[in-house]
Amino acid sequence: MLRYVIYTRVSTEDQGKSGLGLEAQERDIGIFLDRFSAVPYEIIGRFQDVDSGSNNGRPELTKALALVRKTGAELLIAKLDRLSRKVSFIATLMEDKRVKLRVASMPHANKFELHVYAALAEQERTFISERTKAALRVAKERGAKLGGLRDATMKRNTAIQAKANTEAAKVMKLIAPMKEAGASLGHIARTLDEMGIATSRGGKWTPMQVSRVIDRSRP
């Protein structure tokens, strides 16, 4: 019988308590088991970490991998970045003949394809980081003040950010299921308008505003 060890991860303690990130992972895993897995199958273990994907020393992941190596079961995760954001760590696991990996969101992907996907994702994160640094350098060269704000201004900005984060967290409960289902930003914006959900400024939704809410809610 095919056996699975399920592993899930969220990045912060708050996500772990709210279950928002975990619900999406459990849903994807459920879809895989219902529609893509060979049958019969057995789930012999479930493990969950609340930690960063850049930390490879997660205790529950260590336990999950130990069980996989001991039993020959497949390690089942919702998305590849739930396992790790480091391509070197993923590559090492794929070279381990005792570890069988299955990604629910890419049910037919083999080890080679998963390795390529991990490498591309890491390149994209590196590029985004470098692009941000470059933009800051240009702003500084043009005379923009990147620091030194007065205390009152800092406090006001902190309050604005806190309010925006709270509102983003609320609306993400509606956006997340649509995004996970593959809906476009434009479709999500139209749906929010049809539901009578206003933006933080009381206006209509645009794809860019939906994207900003998603970015603000990321770990």
Side-chain angles (χ1 to χ4, degrees), residues 25-180:
Q25 292 177 62
E26 291 290 352
R27 184 189 62 242
D28 287 354
I29 289 171
I31 290 173
F32 169 81
L33 292 174
D34 290 341
R35 303 181 185 179
F36 298 97
S37 175
V39 291
Y41 66 81
E42 178 185 9
I43 297 172
I44 64 172
R46 287 179 176 269
F47 300 87
Q48 174 194 315
D49 276 310
V50 182
D51 205 342
S52 168
S54 61
N55 177 17
N56 295 331
R58 285 164 271 148
E60 295 304 304
L61 176 58
T62 299
K63 295 177 184 177
L65 290 172
L67 184 58
V68 165
R69 293 183 176 109
K70 179 181 179 180
T71 63
E74 292 190 10
L75 181 67
L76 176 58
I77 56 178
K79 295 183 177 181
L80 199 56
D81 65 2
R82 297 301 88 190
L83 179 61
S84 178
R85 293 186 181 276
K86 293 183 178 180
V87 66
S88 57
F89 179 78
I90 293 174
T92 299
L93 281 185
M94 290 181 179
E95 291 175 357
D96 189 336
K97 295 182 179 180
R98 298 175 298 165
V99 175
K100 298 177 182 178
L101 178 63
R102 183 68 61 181
V103 181
S105 60
M106 295 183 284
H108 302 303
N110 57 37
K111 283 191 173 184
F112 174 76
E113 291 168 334
L114 292 176
H115 194 170
V116 171
Y117 178 86
L120 292 175
E122 184 173 83
Q123 286 184 26
E124 182 180 29
R125 289 192 295 271
T126 300
F127 182 83
I128 291 172
S129 175
E130 291 302 318
R131 183 176 61 192
T132 302
K133 293 176 183 177
L136 291 174
R137 285 196 298 270
V138 171
K140 188 175 182 179
E141 290 169 358
R142 291 176 177 175
K145 294 182 179 180
L146 303 181
L149 295 176
R150 295 179 180 179
D151 289 344
T153 302
M154 291 290 288
K155 290 180 180 179
R156 182 173 65 253
N157 289 345
T158 299
I160 291 173
Q161 289 295 322
K163 181 176 181 294
N165 288 337
T166 299
E167 293 178 348
K170 291 180 180 179
V171 77
M172 267 304 293
K173 294 181 181 179
L174 300 173
I175 293 176
M178 291 187 283
K179 181 176 180 294
E180 292 292 334

Side-chain angles (χ1 to χ4, degrees), residues 172-208:
M172 267 304 293
K173 294 181 181 179
L174 300 173
I175 293 176
M178 291 187 283
K179 181 176 180 294
E180 292 292 334
S184 68
L185 297 178
H187 177 82
I188 294 174
R190 291 191 298 272
T191 301
L192 292 174
D193 285 338
E194 292 171 357
M195 294 174 66
I197 307 297
T199 66
S200 59
R201 296 185 179 181
K204 296 290 186 179
W205 286 92
T206 66
M208 180 60 71

